[in-house]
Amino acid sequence: MLMLGTAMLPVPAAWAAPEPVLPLTVRPGDTLWGLSNEVLTGPAAWREVARRNRLPDANRIRPGQVLQVPQRLLRVRPVEARLVLVQGEVELAGRPAVAGEPVSAGQLLRTGAGASAVVELHDGSRLRVQPATEAALAESARLGARMAPQGSGGASEEGWFAGSMRLVRGSLEVVAARLLRAKPLEVQSPTAVIGVRGTEYRVHHGTDQGTRTEVLEGLVRAEAAGAPQAGVDVAARFGAAIAAADSPPAVVPLPAAPDLSGLPPRFERVIVRIELPGEPSALRVQVALDEAFERIVSDERVAASAPVRISGLDDGEWFLRLRRIESRGIEGLDATHRFNLAARPEPPAPAAPRASAQVGVGGVEFRWAENVEALHYHLQVARDAAFTELVVDEPQVRGASTRLTLDQPGSYFWRMASLRAPQGNQRTRGPWTDAQPLTVRAAPPAPTSGSSADGMQLALRWSGRPEDRQQVELSSDPQFGAGTTVRAELTEPMWTLPRPEQPGTYYFRYRSVEPDGFVTPYSSTLKIEVARDWRGLWLLGAPLLLLLL
C-alpha cells in the first residue's frame, strides 16, 4: 500500500502515529452520561473521556469546556453523497445514473468515453469524475454528530465528516471544501491513498503507469507503504508519480500550460483542428459545455507532434482545455480557450474548376457535389482571396452546376456556401468553402493569312510561344463540324498548306497546348476567301495534315 497524507499532521518515524483525537465543545446542560447516549459510542465511553481529560469530577463539565475525545469513541452515522451532475452515458450501481440521486458507500460509478459526472460529498466537497472512469464512494460518514443548539434553527449538525473515494481506473479531480474533518479527504487507488485537507488536486490510475497526482492548491505528503522513510511533501504546482506500491514517489514540477493564444474564437468545419506549431509534448485535450469543465463531452490524449482533431460537436459555444503530459504520465497546468462552432449547414464540395485551374475567357462552368440539407447555394467570384472585390455574387444558385461569363483575364477566387430553410434559431447560411484560386487566360490573338509567291499554298501565322504546341483547324463550316475539316498539331505558330481545290469561303482557328498540359480556348475565327481560278489539288503534298470528313 502506498499512502499520500496531509503534511500538516504530525508524522512520527515509521508512521507510528498517535491515536487520533478530536475536540468536543460542551454545551449548556451537557453531561458525560448524556453525551454517551448522543455523541459517544455508548455508556462505557464517558469513563475513558473523563480519564483522558483528567476531570476531577466526572459529573461536572462546564459549558464551553473543550474535551479531547478519541476518534474511535465517537458515534459514526453514515451519510449519503449526491450525484449533482450527469453528462452523457453514466452508470451508478449498474444502471443509468440520474442527476440529483443519492450515492451510497460501495456503489460503483462508471462514465463513458465522452461522459462525466460530479459527486458532491456531505461536507460540500466536489469530486469530478472524468470520462472513461470507474470509481466508488468508499466512505461517507459523520462522527460525533449532534443536532444544533436550540434557537439556531435545528437544521444543521455538528460533528466531523470522514469521506473517501475509491478510484478503480481513470481520473478524478477533487475540490475539497475547507471544513473540519475527522481525517483527510482521500482518494484511494489500488496502489495509493491520496488525502489532503482543503485543497484541489487530481488523481489518475491506470495499469500502465500506476497512480499519479497533481497538486493545484495546498500540500500533500506522498509515501510508499513499502518505503515509508522515502516519503516526500508535494506542494502546489508539483506532481508525484507512483509506479508501484514499493516504489518511492517521483516528484516533478507540473509542465507549463500550452500556448493557445493563436487559436481562433470561431471554427467553421465539422472537424475542429487545433494547430500548435512546434508543440513538443503529448497532450490531454478536453472539450466541455461549461467553463468549470464539469460537463465534459470529449476527452483525448494526443501524441507529441500529432494533429489535434475533435469531431462530434454540435454547433454552439464550447470550452477547450489542454494539458501537457510528461513522460511519467503527470499532467500539467491547464490552458483553456472558449470557442464557437458554426459548421452547419456544411458547404458543398467544389468539383470544377479544380483549385488553381486555368480557363479561357468567356463561359466558365462551375460544378460541385451537393449537400442534401441545402435548399440552394450562394456562389461568389472575386479578384481577391478576402472576397472584397466581388465580380460575381449569386445568392440563390440551385442544382449541382452553373455557368458564368468571365470575360476579363486575370486571377480570381471562388467559393460557395449552403443555405437551408429557416428552422427555429438555426442559421440559414452555413460557412464558406475554402477559397478556390482560378486563372482566366486571355483569348489567343487573331491569326493572319496570305498566299505563297506562286499562289499554290496558303500561309497562316499567329502569335505564340516557342514552348507551346499548336492545334489548328481549317474548315468549310464556320462551326467546324459539318463539311470538310482539316486538323493538325504543329510545333510552331505558323501553318503552310496547299490551297483548297474548290473555291469558296473557308474558316481557320487555332489553340495552344502549354507544357503543363493547359489547353487555351480557340482563337477567334479567321475567314478566308479562295478565288475561282485556284490551281492544283487541295491538300496535295501536305504530310502534316489529317483529313476528317
Side-chain angles (χ1 to χ4, degrees), residues 131-188:
T133 295
E134 290 184 13
L137 185 63
E139 180 184 17
S140 181
R142 292 197 72 86
L143 282 66
R146 60 194 301 195
M147 296 306 298
Q150 291 184 356
S152 63
S156 62
E157 295 179 342
E158 292 182 349
W160 298 267
F161 175 73
S164 62
M165 199 80 171
R166 179 168 56 90
L167 177 61
V168 179
R169 66 176 180 90
S171 302
L172 288 175
E173 295 183 356
V174 181
V175 182
R178 296 180 179 275
L179 298 175
L180 181 66
R181 299 185 186 87
K183 61 179 181 178
L185 178 61
E186 296 176 346
V187 175
Q188 307 165 359

Side-chain angles (χ1 to χ4, degrees), residues 354-369:
R354 60 181 174 80
S356 301
Q358 302 182 58
V359 298
V361 294
V364 180
E365 184 178 24
F366 293 82
R367 292 184 285 110
W368 53 89

Side-chain angles (χ1 to χ4, degrees), residues 192-216:
V193 176
I194 299 172
V196 292
R197 297 181 187 270
T199 190
E200 184 174 350
Y201 61 100
R202 315 183 197 116
V203 184
H204 318 278
H205 179 74
T207 56
D208 55 340
Q209 293 178 305
T211 300
R212 290 95 61 205
T213 183
E214 298 111 30
V215 182
L216 305 179

Side-chain angles (χ1 to χ4, degrees), residues 250-415:
V251 178
V252 298
L254 297 185
D259 181 11
L260 304 186
S261 61
L263 295 186
R266 177 185 175 98
F267 291 88
E268 293 188 339
R269 294 294 180 264
V270 173
I271 297 178
V272 176
R273 301 177 186 273
I274 308 299
E275 302 290 343
L276 297 176
E279 174 55 51
S281 302
L283 298 170
R284 186 166 187 177
V285 183
Q286 295 181 323
V287 179
L289 287 162
D290 64 313
E291 197 168 7
F293 285 85
E294 294 187 338
R295 300 177 63 190
I296 297 173
V297 300
S298 177
D299 185 16
E300 302 178 33
R301 288 169 176 80
V302 180
S305 302
V308 178
R309 293 186 290 260
I310 306 167
S311 60
L313 302 181
D314 294 330
D315 283 2
E317 187 177 63
W318 297 96
F319 296 87
L320 174 70
R321 179 166 73 179
L322 277 78
R323 305 175 189 140
R324 291 187 171 117
I325 307 174
E326 57 93 61
S327 60
R328 299 171 185 82
I330 293 175
E331 299 179 7
L333 300 176
D334 292 329
T336 60
H337 179 72
R338 179 186 298 191
F339 70 92
N340 189 270
L341 181 61
R344 298 167 180 86
E346 295 181 56
R354 60 181 174 80
S356 301
Q358 302 182 58
V359 298
V361 294
V364 180
E365 184 178 24
F366 293 82
R367 292 184 285 110
W368 53 89
E370 292 195 79
N371 180 351
V372 296
E373 297 181 358
L375 181 65
H376 53 268
Y377 305 97
H378 193 164
L379 171 62
Q380 290 185 336
V381 181
R383 286 283 190 177
D384 63 318
F387 288 82
T388 60
E389 301 177 40
L390 290 176
V391 296
V392 174
D393 189 17
E394 295 287 347
Q396 293 192 353
V397 179
R398 297 182 183 271
S401 66
T402 190
R403 191 171 183 83
L404 302 175
T405 299
L406 300 178
D407 53 9
Q408 295 296 320
S411 297
Y412 293 87
F413 297 86
W414 68 284
R415 65 182 184 180

Side-chain angles (χ1 to χ4, degrees), residues 412-489:
Y412 293 87
F413 297 86
W414 68 284
R415 65 182 184 180
M416 298 187 71
S418 298
L419 290 93
R420 60 185 168 196
Q423 294 180 351
N425 294 326
Q426 290 184 334
R427 294 176 302 111
T428 57
R429 195 189 75 186
W432 296 103
T433 59
D434 294 335
Q436 306 293 307
L438 172 67
T439 300
V440 177
R441 293 286 185 87
T448 60
S449 65
S451 299
S452 61
D454 58 5
M456 296 297 295
Q457 291 183 314
L458 184 65
L460 302 166
R461 292 179 175 83
W462 57 93
S463 298
R465 306 188 309 172
E467 65 268 27
D468 297 343
R469 291 177 288 120
Q470 309 294 327
Q471 294 179 346
V472 295
E473 294 183 340
L474 181 69
S475 178
S476 59
D477 176 19
Q479 303 302 319
F480 297 86
T484 302
T485 302
V486 179
R487 296 185 177 92
E489 187 166 302

